[in-house]
Structure formats: C-alpha cells, structure tokens
Amino acid sequence: MKFRVLGAVVAVAAGFSLTSSGGAVAVGNEALTADLDTILADNALKGADVGLVVRDANSGEVIYTRQSSRRSQVASNLKLLTTTTALDLLGPDYRWKTELVSGGTKSGSTLNGDLVLRGGGDPTMSRLRYQQLADSLKASGVTTVNGALLIDDTKFDATPYGSGWAWDDEPFSYSAETSALTLSPDAKFSAGTVVVRVKPGAAAGAPAVVTTEPANDHVQIVSTATTGGGGVVVEREHGTNRIFVSGSTTVETTKLSTVKDPTGLVTSVFQKALQASGITVTGEVRRQKAPAGAAVLATDTSMKLSELIVPLLKDSNNMLAEVLVKSAGGSFTNGVNQLSTKWSGLGVDPNAVEIFDGSGMSRLDQFSPDDLTSVLVKAKTKPWFAAWQASLPVAGVDGTLVNRMKNTPAAGNVKAKTGSLSGVSGLSGYVTTQAGRELVFSVVQNNVLLFNSPRAIEDRIAVRLASEGGTAVAPQVQSVPQQRKAPAQDRTAVPAKERVDVECSWIGTC
C-alpha cells in the first residue's frame, strides 16, 4: 500500500504512526522502528544522505520508511531495474547471435566474395568460440576467401561508455567499453578485457615474462616488471591500447585490463582463428555492414537471458548490464527509452526518475529506495520471478554477499543486490523474518565516507529484519574509525579486501 504522510492526525487515523526520523510505520512495529532508528543514528552516517524503506513483499504494505522517496545515486542496485525490464522487454529466452555471413558464392573450396563477421552483442563470446566459428567455415569446405574480411559491429552504436562514467575508471575491468563485437577472456564474462599474465624470470632481477590472453595484435604491452618481491601493477594508458606493467613478482600473477575498441581485439583474434583453421583471406580487412540478404554460413548462439542474469547479478557485472541496454535499443539513449516502456509495470514512474545506463555506474542516475522496493514487489507477479530471484546474491553464501552476514539470521536468507561507488552504498532485496513474513527492503546511502563502513550499516539493518519475530538484540551505535587526523595528513591506503567504493567481485575479493 503506497501512502503519503500528510500529518500526525491523518497518519494515526490511517493506522500508522510517525517515527522520530520523520517516516511512517504500521502500528505494532514500534520495537522494529526503534531499532532501525538506532541503526540510522549511527555516527558513521553524520552528514550522509540515507534512505530506507521496508515493505511487505506480497501486499506492498509499508512497515518503515525514512527519506525513501528521495532520489539519489543507487549504484549497482540499478541492475534490479535493468534486469527485470529486460526480462519483460526481450523475454527470458532471448539469445545473442554471432554470425559468419556472405553475399558471395562458393566454388569448390573457394568462397568468391567477402566474408563478414557480424556481431550481435554477445558479451560471453570467447577466443574458443571465435575459433569454433572459423572451424565451422572450414568444415563446410571453405579454405580460401577470394574477397575481403568485413567486420560488422553495427548492431550497437559507437558510443563506448554511458554518460556520467568516470574517465579514471577506464583501465579497470568493471568499466570496459560496450561493443556489438566483443569477447570475455574469463569465466566471469569480463567482456571487453584481456588477461595480462606476468611470470617471474629465471633469476632475481630478471625481466618478468608478460603475455596476454587471448593472444592478439591489438594491445601493446610495455613492461618494466622484474623478478622479485613487491607485486605488480597493470594499467592501460588513458585513450590508448598501451598496457603498462611495472613492479616485481616471484609468482605467476594475472590481472584483467580493458581494451580500447573491443571490435579491434575481436578482429585480431578472429584473423588468428582463420589462420589456425587453414583458411586464407585474399583481400583486406575493413569494417563494414553486411550486405542485405547475405547468406548465413555459420552461427554461434549465446545462453538465454534468463541464464545470463545469474553472473550479471551475482557478480554485479557492469558490462552484461550495458549489453542489455544496447540490445534493447542499439544505443544507451534509445535502449533506456525502450526499457522504460516496461517500468510502469514494475511500479516505477518513467517521468519521475533519471536513468542513463544499465549498470548504475553513471553519476547522473537518480532513483529512490521506494522505486527499488516497487520493483521487488512487482517482480513477484512476473512469470520469470523464480529464476530472477535465484540470480540475486545470497547473504553469506555467494556473489557479492558471500562474505557478509555470516553466522547471523540473515545468512542464507537475505537475497539482495549490492551497490558500491565512491560515496555511495546500497542494499536492496528480500528477507524472511523469523516469524515467517517475507519483506522487501532498500537502503541507499549517498555522501558516505569510505572509511565509515557503510556496508556494516546495511548488514545490521538486514540482520535486524531477519531477526524480527524472534529474540532480537537492540543494535548498538558503532564508534567510527578515523582514517586521518588532519587535512594535511596523507590518506592511508585502504587494503583491497576492505574497499567499499567498488563491488568485491570487481577486484577479486569475494
């Protein structure tokens, strides 16, 4: 039940009471209200902008609300909206195709005409699957292409990043370019990246041996790394495909690096695949849309959308989310517009939010906890709900929640989406109380300080909700650790496993 608090008299008459935090709760939940108020009074939230709402998962009844209608950045919580509306718009059985097509004719083992590699946006394509496409062409009897190799990535527009993305995130795997022809070098489908492998040399001080996977001619490795202790740093130069490797190591180390222009990477990898299959292309390589009516010579088909959402949500995979947007409309702008036609069916007013991408990486996105819980409530009425809910991280079990809320009533119970950016943290999902009532909740924190453990706030809320109906211990206000004592003091580097400005899956700490 959605309602607007107009005043104390109206609220009480409607069966609700005002809280000290200015929200409204259903009568009979005073103890829960007091505990949630205590959590939100934590000193760590001083100066922050925090919204929280708790609702019955089936009726939508509001149980607790505090600033929950205020729009803010929700980071990767936005993936709840992206995946649900994509399931509605594209359908759970939607698949992506990568094809070899040609308008030419076959004469013996020669294809007279251009060979076209046409991308459909599949973010899960790998070097092996591009090789299998080449092998399929060879199996059909073609050993010579008497024409050019055309690369068609026109399924998506040429804009690589969403509006409002941070330029200094460019080298990192969670901020890769989106392209209709791309590949993932790992099992987590880190589309638009390569693996940089660094091996120690034969003796201390010797140059490290650096390679990329897949092998390609698209990126250039510039290495000063040596054999020794200390660790290595891998970072791509802004705006180029020069990947700098520095530092030292005594053990084999792998790092992911994004590439500029994933289509160029695929072109290099596919050329090598054709050579490995024994297929000769006599003409040049150029980018061009496939001719109308071109015959399909070989096809690779992806997994279903209902399967793709598992790594997307469990690992908070940004690149998979952006592919959903561009698959819906070819560009970020049109894709969001197309997805927005399904928002009202999930309880979201398209004219009351601002969305610029699918992952939540854009600092321009504006969404509210109320909207997030509306999505969670309405999703339960959809035919694809069971598969979608099963794709959410589970507290203490898997995904980005694998290390959170262990040995609490929330473990194995809370199914929720995390969200992390500098100054932003959020958690939205489902929880079943000890009394057996299913709730949805959304807590979104903006303007939080990185060293004040915003995730601890979220976990305490989720654990308290999971404990409802049992013997609950009133939450205590935490003391706030200080990172620095004076503005002039250098900031202390935060260990990777303690970082809260990124999802743990993005930096391999979960």
Side-chain angles (χ1 to χ4, degrees):
M1 176 172 62
K2 289 280 280 187
F3 63 92
R4 187 184 305 273
V5 178
L6 301 177
V9 175
V10 174
V12 173
F16 296 87
S17 61
L18 291 178
T19 72
S20 59
S21 56
V25 297
V27 171
N29 287 279
E30 288 83 359
L32 176 62
T33 298
D35 286 349
L36 294 178
D37 280 349
T38 298
I39 294 172
L40 295 181
D42 196 300
N43 290 334
L45 297 179
K46 185 178 180 180
D49 189 1
V50 183
L52 170 63
V53 61
V54 182
R55 300 170 65 183
D56 184 280
N58 296 301
S59 69
E61 175 192 0
V62 175
I63 297 169
Y64 181 96
T65 176
R66 176 176 174 174
Q67 298 186 165
S68 59
S69 65
R70 293 181 62 172
R71 290 183 294 270
S72 58
Q73 297 175 53
V74 298
S76 288
N77 279 210
L78 187 67
K79 294 182 175 77
L80 296 173
L81 178 72
T82 303
T83 52
T84 51
T85 51
L87 285 165
D88 264 356
L89 182 70
L90 302 175
D93 295 332
Y94 185 89
R95 297 176 185 264
W96 291 263
K97 290 183 178 180
T98 306
E99 300 173 313
L100 292 180
V101 303
S102 179
T105 58
K106 184 180 175 183
S107 177
S109 61
T110 299
L111 176 64
N112 291 304
D114 298 332
L115 174 66
V116 187
L117 175 64
R118 180 165 63 190
D122 184 358
T124 70
M125 282 295 290
S126 63
R127 182 204 64 78
L128 176 61
R129 287 165 63 190
Y130 282 113
Q131 184 63 61
Q132 289 171 341
L133 274 176
D135 291 344
S136 294
L137 182 63
K138 176 67 175 294
S140 72
V142 174
T143 59
T144 302
V145 175
N146 190 19
L149 173 61
L150 304 184
I151 306 298
D152 181 359
D153 64 355
T154 58
K155 180 78 173 179
F156 296 165
D157 74 350
T159 303
Y161 303 112
S163 297
W165 284 29
W167 71 267
D168 53 339
D169 280 332
E170 180 186 311
F172 306 116
S173 60
Y174 55 83
S175 188
E177 296 186 5
T178 299
S179 172
L181 273 171
T182 191
L183 63 77
S184 296
D186 62 0
K188 287 191 173 183
F189 305 125
S190 303
T193 70
V194 293
V195 173
V196 179
R197 187 175 298 276
V198 185
K199 294 182 180 180
V209 179
V210 184
T211 57
T212 60
E213 298 167 8
N216 68 91
D217 301 318
H218 189 60
V219 302
Q220 177 189 359
I221 297 294
V222 180
S223 177
T224 58
T226 60
T227 303
V232 295
V233 175
V234 175
E235 187 162 337
R236 179 167 65 88
E237 183 181 55
H238 177 61
T240 78
N241 270 316
R242 296 209 304 167
I243 300 175
F244 288 84
V245 183
S246 59
S248 57
T249 184
T250 57
V251 296
E252 184 173 316
T253 304
T254 60
K255 303 280 187 179
L256 285 172
S257 172
T258 58
V259 300
K260 182 175 178 58
D261 182 25
T263 297
L265 173 65
V266 170
T267 301
S268 176
V269 168
F270 188 63
Q271 284 182 283
K272 293 181 182 298
L274 289 173
Q275 293 168 3
S277 293
I279 298 174
T280 301
V281 179
T282 63
E284 63 180 346
V285 179
R286 64 178 186 270
R287 298 188 187 186
Q288 183 176 312
K289 185 177 177 62
V296 177
L297 306 179
T299 301
D300 180 285
T301 304
S302 75
M303 65 179 69
K304 296 179 181 179
L305 172 56
S306 59
E307 299 168 314
L308 185 77
I309 60 174
V310 175
L312 193 164
L313 290 172
K314 292 286 188 188
D315 296 326
S316 200
N317 189 311
N318 292 331
M319 299 5 287
L320 301 187
E322 302 310 344
V323 162
L324 297 190
V325 173
K326 288 206 171 186
S327 295
S331 67
F332 286 110
T333 300
N334 192 47
V336 169
N337 287 341
Q338 293 300 315
L339 290 173
S340 73
T341 64
K342 298 295 182 180
W343 290 351
S344 60
L346 288 160
V348 176
D349 181 355
N351 297 313
V353 297
E354 289 277 19
I355 305 298
F356 289 84
D357 63 2
S359 65
M361 284 281 284
S362 175
R363 293 287 185 172
L364 303 177
D365 293 333
Q366 293 289 315
F367 215 61
S368 73
D370 278 350
D371 289 324
L372 288 166
T373 54
S374 290
V375 172
L376 293 166
V377 170
K378 293 291 186 180
K380 287 178 62 67
T381 68
K382 302 292 185 175
W384 39 255
F385 173 71
W388 179 77
Q389 187 188 43
S391 302
L392 293 172
V394 181
V397 176
D398 61 19
T400 54
L401 288 179
V402 67
N403 295 319
R404 294 173 61 176
M405 294 174 267
K406 288 186 174 182
N407 303 313
T408 73
N413 177 352
V414 168
K415 302 175 180 64
K417 184 70 199 74
T418 54
S420 308
L421 288 173
S422 297
V424 178
S425 189
L427 186 69
S428 304
Y430 302 88
V431 58
T432 301
T433 69
Q434 287 193 20
R437 186 182 189 184
E438 187 181 16
L439 306 175
V440 296
F441 69 96
S442 176
V443 53
V444 176
Q445 307 176 70
N446 276 208
N447 304 314
V448 293
L449 301 178
L450 295 181
F451 52 90
N452 280 355
S453 303
R455 290 174 185 167
I457 300 292
E458 297 156 7
D459 291 356
R460 289 162 64 199
I461 291 170
V463 170
R464 178 60 184 86
L465 294 175
S467 304
E468 178 68 2
T471 303
V473 178
Q476 301 298 311
V477 176
Q478 296 185 137
S479 61
V480 179
Q482 293 298 314
Q483 184 187 30
R484 56 190 182 277
K485 295 180 179 179
Q489 187 180 40
D490 290 339
R491 297 189 181 208
T492 302
V494 178
K497 66 180 180 180
E498 298 177 15
R499 287 183 63 183
V500 295
D501 57 327
V502 290
E503 298 283 76
C504 61
S505 55
W506 299 353
I507 56 174
T509 57
C510 61

